[in-house]
Amino acid sequence: MCLAVPGRVMDIEERDGTRMATVDFGGVVKEVCLEYLPDLQVGEYAIVHVGFALQRLDEESARKTLELFDELGLLQEEFGDPWERAAEAGGTSPTGGADAPQEVQR
């Protein structure tokens, strides 16, 4: 599933002519393109989908949405470790299992 997730802008810079931001999604930090919201400022919240900030959002709404997503497990589904998800899909554990490298005893 691919969600539109609220995040808080931590910093903004221009990269190769494109306005980019570092955005915190309740502890997960990602790079986001700000071309659709050129006046978004550090400290503000935005709804982000597939790496693009799409709409400004007030802090209270953003926090409530992040809490709800977290309760439902959607943040882990959206931002969780891709290696862990792949291992779970394949029926193995990322820390062990049939395909995990085995320690050699000498």
Side-chain angles (χ1 to χ4, degrees):
M1 179 187 322
C2 200
L3 300 172
V5 181
R8 182 176 181 271
V9 177
M10 298 172 58
D11 70 37
I12 297 172
E13 66 180 52
E14 189 168 314
R15 204 172 313 141
D16 297 323
T18 301
R19 200 159 177 259
M20 298 293 292
T22 303
V23 177
D24 179 2
F25 299 95
V28 176
V29 177
K30 300 277 187 181
E31 293 297 308
V32 171
C33 179
L34 299 182
E35 290 300 301
Y36 295 128
L37 293 175
D39 61 339
L40 195 66
Q41 300 297 315
V42 171
E44 290 187 304
Y45 289 80
I47 294 175
V48 177
H49 181 64
V50 293
F52 290 87
L54 299 177
Q55 181 179 348
R56 184 176 278 105
L57 189 65
D58 65 274
E59 182 175 358
E60 182 180 349
S61 296
R63 290 185 187 277
K64 285 181 179 179
T65 302
L66 284 170
E67 288 172 11
L68 179 60
F69 283 2
D70 189 41
E71 286 175 22
L72 295 172
L74 296 174
L75 289 180
Q76 179 63 28
E77 183 178 323
E78 185 73 10
F79 295 123
D81 182 349
W83 294 108
E84 184 176 319
R85 286 196 311 266
E88 288 171 359
T92 64
S93 165
T95 57
D99 296 331
Q102 302 297 315
E103 185 175 331
V104 176
Q105 298 287 328
R106 293 184 188 217

